[in-house]
Structure formats: C-alpha cells, structure tokens
C-alpha cells in the first residue's frame, strides 16, 4: 500500500498483480463449476427416469465421451512423415 499525504488528507492506494487477479478468477470459476456439478447431481436424483431433460443430459455426456475418444484416436495415430495438404478445385474456362 502506498500513502499520499497531501494538503486535503490521507489517500490510500491499493494495487494487485496480474497473478492475483488470475487466482481470484480461477477460484471463482472453480466454485461455480462445483455448484453446477452439485445442481446437476441433485437434478438427476430428483428427475424421473423418462424425463426428457435427463435424457438430454445423458446425450450431452455421450457426446463429450465420443469427442474425447476421437481426440485420443487422432492423437494416437503415428505419422511417419510430414502432413500433406491437398487443395482440389475446378478449372474455370
């Protein structure tokens, strides 16, 4: 903290570094995600098995799982050479 003793009175300045702002953001984000996860779990416990919203949640989870598997598959492909990019177009007369 810095203090400025001027003619009018005492002025106090407080500053924060960038990593302090980032730490606060990550903490708030973590709390929000935790609250969302808890709310979803409560909803799943209370919702009927045939509830359309519950089926949509399951569909979203399956989509996330599918994307993770596709990413793992792409990452596990061994490439022995450089990547080849082909551009194909029609000739204009």
């Amino acid at each position: 903290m810095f203090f400025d003793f001027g003619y009018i009175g005492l002025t106090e300045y407080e500053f924060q570094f960038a990593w302090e702002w980032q730490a606060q953001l990550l903490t708030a984000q973590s709390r929000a995600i935790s609250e969302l996860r808890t709310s979803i779990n409560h909803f799943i416990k209370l919702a009927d098995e045939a509830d359309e919203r519950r089926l949509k949640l399951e569909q979203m989870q399956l989509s996330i799982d599918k994307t993770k598997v596709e990413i793992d598959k792409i990452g596990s492909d061994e490439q022995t050479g450089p990547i080849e990019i082909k551009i194909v177009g029609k000739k204009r007369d």
Side-chain angles (χ1 to χ4, degrees):
M1 278 186 234
F2 294 105
F3 296 101
D4 180 17
F5 297 100
Y7 293 108
I8 298 175
L10 177 67
T11 305
E12 183 177 330
Y13 297 95
E14 188 173 319
F15 64 94
Q16 288 186 321
F17 292 103
W19 58 83
E20 292 172 334
W21 284 93
Q22 185 180 17
Q24 290 175 356
L25 172 69
L26 291 174
T27 301
Q29 199 173 34
S30 175
R31 279 191 220 129
I33 291 172
S34 176
E35 183 65 30
L36 176 63
R37 187 177 296 125
T38 302
S39 297
I40 290 172
N41 286 335
H42 286 315
F43 172 78
I44 289 173
K45 288 178 184 176
L46 295 174
D48 184 29
E49 287 289 327
D51 191 348
E52 180 183 344
R53 295 170 295 179
R54 186 173 180 162
L55 296 174
K56 286 183 180 180
L57 277 175
E58 290 176 16
Q59 184 180 11
M60 283 189 272
Q61 185 61 46
L62 290 173
S63 176
I64 291 170
D65 293 341
K66 179 184 174 191
T67 304
K68 286 180 181 180
V69 168
E70 289 173 353
I71 290 171
D72 289 341
K73 183 180 177 185
I74 290 170
S76 66
D77 289 343
E78 294 182 19
Q79 295 185 359
T80 57
I83 298 173
E84 183 179 336
I85 300 173
K86 292 183 182 180
I87 300 175
V88 181
K90 295 183 179 180
K91 280 188 174 181
R92 294 184 180 180
D93 295 328

